[in-house]
Amino acid sequence: MWFLCVFFHRLLDYRRAEVESLAVLFGSDGDGNRSLEWKLPEGHHIDSPFHFVSLPSEDIARKIANRSILVKGIYEVWGQGDNHEELEVAIRKFPEERMSPYLTEDSTFRIIVDSFGKVISFQEQNERIEGLSYIPFKGRVDLRNPDHKFWLMETDDYGSNNGLPPVMKRKIFFSREVGAADRKLLPTYQLKSRKYLGPTAMDAEVAFLMANQGLAQPGKLVYDPFVGTGSILVAAAHFGAMTMGADIDIRVVRDGRGPDCNVWSNFKQYGLPMPLSLLRADNNLPPWRPGLKEVFDAIICDPPYGVRAGGRKSGGRKLLKGAIDPYTVPEEKKSDHIPSTAPYSLAECMHDLLDLAAKMLVMGGRLVFFYPVLREDGTTNAQFPEHPCFTQIAACEQILSLRYSRYLLTMVKTGAYTEEIAKSAKKMHLNFKENHLKWLEEGNLHSAVFSPADSQSLSGNPKFNRDSKPKYRGKKV
């Protein structure tokens, strides 16, 4: 069945990937590797919020819309046209047997007029609703809690001069709402009202997107090896998943800012199930017993890549260089001891993360993480880390500055972990290091992102010129 999927106009790269993941979650795709079938309305740009998608049933479409973060709504289109005359012809041709169940006398309904790229006044909205009198509605109007919602949505031939995706010609859709997003979700979990935050706390919208990509649901165990203040696990717990996390900084996972301001208090604030465990652990020296495998259903994380905070691993500089011998912490100092750490390059971090996921994820489990990329001349030439146990199914770009963007990578475990696989993965990792940019090994991404080149590129035309404004700003919208 074909449905009209209308997206919010943000995080443009993430939109289809989220819907495809939710389609797997709700059972429309058995193996999780095939993409859904998509179509654009005639004359629409790929970044348009209007997309047609083929889904097996209305029930799956409703579940996707209700859980999605970026889907505004999913609709059954009764008619479309370039003008209201064409729209009327199309609606009259729509099968009566599919319309009649929603036009009965004992039902209530509401018609909502919406637009993209233009503003429709209240008077114009009423005129458009009155113009739909040829549709045989028999029920009663209920503006607050109707049984059925109908949408009259318009785009305009506004060209490409307002910073929005270009549309070749005007389009009007009349549709029945199948499912809509939960508008209260993000305001409830917004960071500004959260009790315990750190400098790298994940934005609530992105955290929920990551949880959707990881297929978080009741009965699943989600692990974050760089848990920080727990933003990603909060999103996973909201969807019913069991959660577990680790961080190298014991002050974050144990102490926080006091007994009522820590990772645990974030879960208590929203009435969510507490994590099964929060460990002080180093991803470079994993704490799992030998032979332990396939425990987690998803690993969802934001690795430290050195923009806001650099990665750390166990062992001080002198210890790693062999200048001093390993030491034992005296008993009287163990309760307050903070282990020494050393810099942890992104290249090493990626290898350890993929190795951990290959061992600890169940077959078909998902690894979801952010990966940074430097952009040259406004373009991105990304080389992503690979592992023989995984198939990458999504890479969603988020442009953060002129020089820097990050990708949300989603990988599915498709092969069992063996010693031969581990050797093959090590070779892939070495090849990855040799062929990548120097900052990956040095971990000096901060200086690369905030180099003087940024200020030079911005100072070329200090005075604002309307003609110099990009006609369409693409993914930065």
Side-chain angles (χ1 to χ4, degrees), residues 30-33 215 220 293-298 356-367 388-391 411-418 421:
D31 60 18
N33 295 323
L215 309 184
K220 302 294 184 181
K293 294 182 179 180
E294 299 191 355
V295 174
F296 305 117
D297 296 285
L356 167 75
K359 289 179 182 177
M360 302 299 289
L361 279 177
V362 300
M363 194 64 67
R366 291 195 168 196
L367 170 62
C389 284
F390 290 95
T391 299
M411 299 181 175
V412 177
K413 184 176 177 180
T414 54
Y417 185 86
T418 63
I421 288 289

Side-chain angles (χ1 to χ4, degrees), residues 356-470:
L356 167 75
K359 289 179 182 177
M360 302 299 289
L361 279 177
V362 300
M363 194 64 67
R366 291 195 168 196
L367 170 62
V368 182
F369 65 100
F370 272 109
Y371 180 74
V373 173
L374 286 177
R375 308 175 75 240
E376 299 177 1
D377 302 322
T379 61
T380 303
N381 297 313
Q383 179 189 356
F384 301 129
E386 298 177 323
H387 194 283
C389 284
F390 290 95
T391 299
Q392 181 178 300
I393 61 171
C396 307
E397 185 182 20
Q398 182 181 9
I399 298 174
L400 300 174
S401 73
L402 293 174
R403 296 287 307 281
Y404 161 57
S405 66
R406 62 179 182 175
Y407 278 82
L408 181 62
L409 302 182
T410 304
M411 299 181 175
V412 177
K413 184 176 177 180
T414 54
Y417 185 86
T418 63
E419 292 300 324
E420 291 73 19
I421 288 289
K423 293 177 182 178
S424 177
K426 185 66 174 179
K427 292 180 181 178
M428 294 174 70
H429 169 65
L430 293 174
N431 181 66
F432 173 69
K433 285 174 57 179
E434 292 172 358
N435 290 281
H436 211 285
L437 297 173
K438 190 176 181 181
W439 61 263
L440 180 74
E441 177 62 23
E442 294 179 347
N444 195 19
L445 182 59
H446 186 280
S447 61
V449 171
F450 299 102
S451 66
D454 278 352
S455 58
Q456 292 173 6
S457 61
L458 292 172
S459 61
N461 187 8
K463 187 176 180 181
F464 176 75
N465 184 353
R466 187 176 298 275
D467 294 333
S468 66
K469 179 182 175 182

Side-chain angles (χ1 to χ4, degrees), residues 99-292:
M99 297 175 62
S100 56
Y102 309 100
L103 305 176
T104 58
E105 293 182 359
D106 58 347
S107 65
T108 58
F109 71 95
R110 178 187 179 188
I111 299 176
I112 304 167
V113 179
D114 197 11
S115 62
F116 180 73
K118 59 184 293 185
V119 176
I120 301 178
S121 68
F122 183 73
Q123 180 180 349
E124 290 174 323
Q125 292 182 32
N126 286 334
E127 292 174 354
R128 282 162 169 73
I129 292 174
E130 292 171 1
L132 298 171
S133 58
Y134 53 86
I135 302 177
F137 290 105
K138 300 175 183 178
R140 180 173 54 86
V141 174
D142 185 346
L143 299 181
R144 292 194 173 185
N145 190 28
D147 296 326
H148 311 297
K149 290 183 181 179
F150 299 90
W151 290 73
L152 183 67
M153 294 175 281
E154 295 188 19
T155 64
D156 208 353
D157 55 347
Y158 49 80
S160 56
N161 58 357
N162 65 347
L164 295 175
V167 173
M168 301 303 294
K169 57 183 178 181
R170 183 186 189 190
K171 206 73 175 177
I172 308 173
F173 303 94
F174 183 78
S175 312
R176 177 180 63 87
E177 181 184 293
V178 173
D182 180 1
R183 301 294 182 87
K184 298 179 181 179
L185 182 63
L186 294 182
T188 300
Y189 286 92
Q190 60 186 338
L191 292 185
K192 67 180 182 181
S193 61
R194 193 167 297 178
K195 288 185 177 180
Y196 181 45
L197 289 177
T200 60
M202 182 61 67
D203 175 73
E205 181 178 41
V206 179
F208 279 104
L209 281 171
M210 297 176 77
N212 280 340
Q213 289 296 98
L215 309 184
Q217 61 179 321
K220 302 294 184 181
L221 178 57
V222 175
Y223 177 64
D224 182 356
F226 312 100
V227 66
T229 57
S231 294
I232 293 174
L233 294 189
V234 164
H238 170 83
F239 291 132
M242 299 177 289
T243 59
M244 184 174 176
D247 200 281
I248 195 170
D249 191 343
I250 192 171
R251 295 165 295 184
V252 173
V253 295
R254 183 188 65 183
D255 304 328
R257 296 192 179 94
D260 297 320
C261 187
N262 50 44
V263 179
W264 305 98
S265 64
N266 283 344
F267 288 82
K268 190 181 299 182
Q269 177 182 353
Y270 301 116
L272 299 173
M274 294 293 176
L276 300 181
S277 177
L278 294 177
L279 307 175
R280 188 278 171 190
D282 179 4
N283 207 40
N284 186 244
L285 296 171
W288 321 110
R289 69 173 186 266
L292 183 64

